[in-house]
Amino acid sequence: FANYCMMTSEDVETKIVKQVEYYFGDINLVKDRFMKEKIQSTEGGWISFDNMLQFKRLAALSDSAEVIKSALEKVNDSVFEVSDQGVRRHPDKPVPENMKQANEKYADRAVYAKGFSRSETLDNIIQYLEANGGKTINIFMRRFPKDRTFKGSVFAIFQEKEDAEKFLSNDAGAKYKGQSMLRKWQSVYEAEKAEEYSHGKQQQKPKQSGEPDITSQITTGAILKMKGICPFFKSDDANGDAENNSHVQEQSFVKKFKEWLASHFQDDSECEVSWVEVHSSEDFLFVRFKQKDSAGKAWQKLTGKDISDEESRLTYEEVPLAGSLVTGDEEKDYWRKILNLKKKRFDSNRGGQRGQKRQFGRFKGGQVKRARIEETK
């Protein structure tokens, strides 16, 4: 975290307000399961200051409930309401029902920016965005799924559309710490990525003409893709900066979700689950089944509707998940990664075994040779 002890009291209060606005903002409340549970468990939806201080970024600004309460009371019009009971979402400001509605609401002020150092801090990113545009209400630091390190790019939502337009056109924001910045609307970025994916360009490398056909090595029709899993992963603190044990959360979710699936398919070997792969930062997961063409049948059994029905949803712990079959090039790309991973593991294990055999062979040969020498003496 930033060195907050060097800031003035006014700066600290400003950051406290911004932090709490993030917690109770549309984007976070839609996906933050911890916040939802706290709001639903109390009368009137109040979250006490003791609970608020469980958030690390807020506690880093001040560990005093009185300081936080005083800062929030100075705000006249915001998404939150404050009282002696704590803080709650303002009852006159309804929360979007789901992530889709939230994204649609802010689509005209959501931008993509790339060019940050992978060690850059959230506070510096906020300062850059707001200096070149205006007030932001949400910043998502994009991370690599495997090790959760920062990719150097963000999705940011400005409070006003005009501020987003200003950020994209402001020449002063063309560079950050000497590095040229790539800036565009988030919708444009996502459309470009979708186009790349549909043409098989996501690898950023042309496929070799001699690349083998893997059709005979894969189990077709066995992969389900489900979207809408964000509510199961607490974003922890402001604007997605803290990881909050995301790997541990994913492991725990996978274990529970696999058990839940198994309980629904215990009498149906055709729908036996082989693997669950979670991409929490991208809001989706893969479920891989053991049998060919079993993914669609599994969805039918879980939801009572055909997978082709775009309105069908799987409800897991009161969270609706959208589903689709992984087919075509996307299916081959998925299996190609699986096969490559298996090959690497096989080669690694094989190399280790060869090394052990060589060592054992030398040891054994040496023993035999010494024994023969002793016999001739």
Side-chain angles (χ1 to χ4, degrees), residues 64-91:
S64 168
E66 286 301 318
V67 170
I68 293 172
K69 181 172 180 287
S70 175
L72 300 181
E73 286 177 333
K74 295 177 181 179
V75 181
N76 295 321
D77 183 25
S78 185
V79 294
F80 63 79
E81 192 172 49
V82 62
S83 75
D84 291 337
Q85 294 176 268
V87 191
R88 70 174 179 180
R89 171 73 179 214
H90 200 293

Side-chain angles (χ1 to χ4, degrees), residues 192-206:
E192 290 174 350
K193 283 299 178 182
E195 182 69 15
E196 285 182 13
Y197 193 86
S198 67
H199 288 82
K201 295 181 180 177
Q202 71 278 17
Q203 299 294 333
Q204 298 297 318
K205 295 180 181 179

Side-chain angles (χ1 to χ4, degrees), residues 44 62 85 95 131 138 208 211 249 269 283 285 294 319 334 366:
S62 176
Q85 294 176 268
V95 181
N138 189 279
Q208 298 179 1
E211 187 176 83
Q249 289 188 69
S269 59
D283 195 31
L285 61 81
S294 55
V319 176
Y334 177 90

